[in-house]
Amino acid sequence: MNLQISLIQTIDALLPQTQCGLCGHRDGCLPYAKSMAEGEAANKCIPGGQPVADALAQLLQRPRLIAEASVWPIQSDGRPQRMKAIIREDECIGCTKCISACPVDAIIGSGKLMHSILTDLCTGCELCIAPCPVDCIDLVEDHQAVPDDALRIIEQNDLRQRYYAHIQREEKQRSKRKGPVVRADIDTALFSQFSTSSSSIISPTVVHSTPETLTPVDAKSTIELAKIRTQIKKLEKQLSVREDAQKRMQLAEYHQQLMLLQGA
């Protein structure tokens, strides 16, 4: 059983952690990883595109398959264009349905108050669009630089942790929620199995978070993380034009704050 869990974790580490359900597994990347370990085709991750399909084929020692096509153009790294959701805030009625739908808690707001999407955290999964009763959410291209492999691993680990924290909170609130559930029922038994697994981390470059070890990210921390990421990008852009020792020190401090907030 431990070997099977390790294989699923290794597969899951290759997936982009958008938790979008486009592969057919609406409750996230981990269930698709489990299904692939049991024989399902490894070319269904649309956000991962051909690079992920090829990496999975190599890992699983299977023939290379053409990745299922995305509706978005292909980036320089061979993956589909990264997208971000934005809310036309003047049209938002504050229904909170998009907040419950977001798998990584990238939307903030309260009932009958305007909502906003923290675009730095948005994965472009599209899950917030369908529940919106006034159709005020759009997808736009993410014009940030395509991340390298090291940054992508950091992003995926962060998204995985945010999703597991989201699951924990949603399960606690499920019995009290009024109205329809906009996401699929979560396979809590699967995630629980990984939280109780004693298997070690597979690769020193990949951090595997589990529901049992996560601390839910509250709204204050989410906003603080978004602010720090914004400052980091601003300073990096300024330093790319002109080097400045003081700004370089500020950038280092922001990176340190970011690591502390993320529990690094």
Side-chain angles (χ1 to χ4, degrees):
M1 179 60 71
N2 284 341
L3 288 176
Q4 180 75 351
I5 289 175
S6 295
L7 174 59
I8 294 171
Q9 287 181 318
T10 307
I11 296 171
D12 184 59
L14 294 175
L15 297 175
Q17 304 303 313
T18 53
Q19 318 300 346
C20 61
L22 293 175
C23 61
H25 295 268
R26 285 201 60 215
D27 49 351
C29 296
L30 182 61
Y32 180 40
K34 176 177 180 292
S35 187
M36 279 189 281
E38 295 170 349
E40 184 171 352
N43 65 331
K44 297 181 180 180
C45 178
I46 293 177
Q50 198 61 51
V52 168
D54 290 347
L56 289 169
Q58 182 177 7
L59 171 67
L60 297 169
Q61 299 181 357
R62 299 178 185 173
R64 179 181 183 270
L65 298 174
I66 301 300
E68 291 197 2
S70 170
V71 298
W72 310 117
I74 302 301
Q75 299 178 146
S76 59
D77 63 350
R79 300 176 183 229
Q81 170 68 49
R82 286 157 65 106
M83 306 298 291
K84 299 288 184 181
I86 58 170
I87 292 176
R88 299 193 300 278
E89 296 177 346
D90 58 334
E91 300 176 28
C92 175
I93 61 173
C95 71
T96 74
K97 291 183 178 180
C98 61
I99 293 177
S100 298
C102 180
V104 294
D105 297 328
I107 306 177
I108 56 175
S110 298
K112 299 182 181 180
L113 295 175
M114 179 187 73
H115 302 344
S116 294
I117 296 176
L118 303 174
T119 54
D120 284 352
L121 302 178
C122 176
T123 68
C125 69
E126 307 181 33
L127 292 173
C128 60
I129 295 177
C132 178
V134 293
D135 194 24
C136 69
I137 303 177
D138 298 317
L139 284 178
V140 298
E141 290 188 6
D142 181 1
H143 294 294
Q144 300 179 46
V146 176
D148 58 20
D149 289 342
L151 181 57
R152 185 176 290 110
I153 289 173
I154 293 173
E155 286 183 350
Q156 290 175 181
N157 289 334
D158 182 50
L159 291 172
R160 184 184 296 107
Q161 180 173 348
R162 295 185 66 81
Y163 181 51
Y164 287 2
H166 175 85
I167 290 173
Q168 288 178 324
R169 189 185 64 257
E170 287 292 296
E171 288 304 308
K172 289 178 181 178
Q173 296 176 349
R174 184 179 293 272
S175 62
K176 301 177 182 179
R177 179 179 291 120
K178 297 179 180 179
V181 176
V182 295
R183 282 192 58 79
D185 287 339
I186 301 298
D187 184 357
T188 53
L190 173 62
F191 289 99
S192 177
Q193 181 182 19
F194 279 80
S195 71
T196 57
S197 168
S198 60
S199 57
S200 60
I201 294 174
I202 296 166
S203 167
T205 60
V206 179
V207 179
H208 294 284
S209 302
T210 60
E212 196 171 74
T213 61
L214 294 177
T215 300
V217 182
D218 58 26
K220 184 177 179 181
S221 298
T222 298
I223 295 171
E224 190 63 28
L225 281 167
K227 287 180 178 178
I228 291 173
R229 289 190 178 100
T230 299
Q231 290 298 324
I232 287 174
K233 290 177 182 178
K234 180 179 179 181
L235 286 170
E236 287 176 340
K237 185 175 181 179
Q238 292 173 349
L239 288 168
S240 68
V241 177
R242 179 179 299 175
E243 186 62 36
D244 183 286
Q246 185 175 358
K247 289 181 179 179
R248 183 65 65 181
M249 289 179 61
Q250 290 177 344
L251 180 61
E253 290 175 0
Y254 279 126
H255 275 296
Q256 187 175 14
Q257 291 177 29
L258 185 65
M259 292 176 64
L260 289 172
L261 281 172
Q262 291 177 332

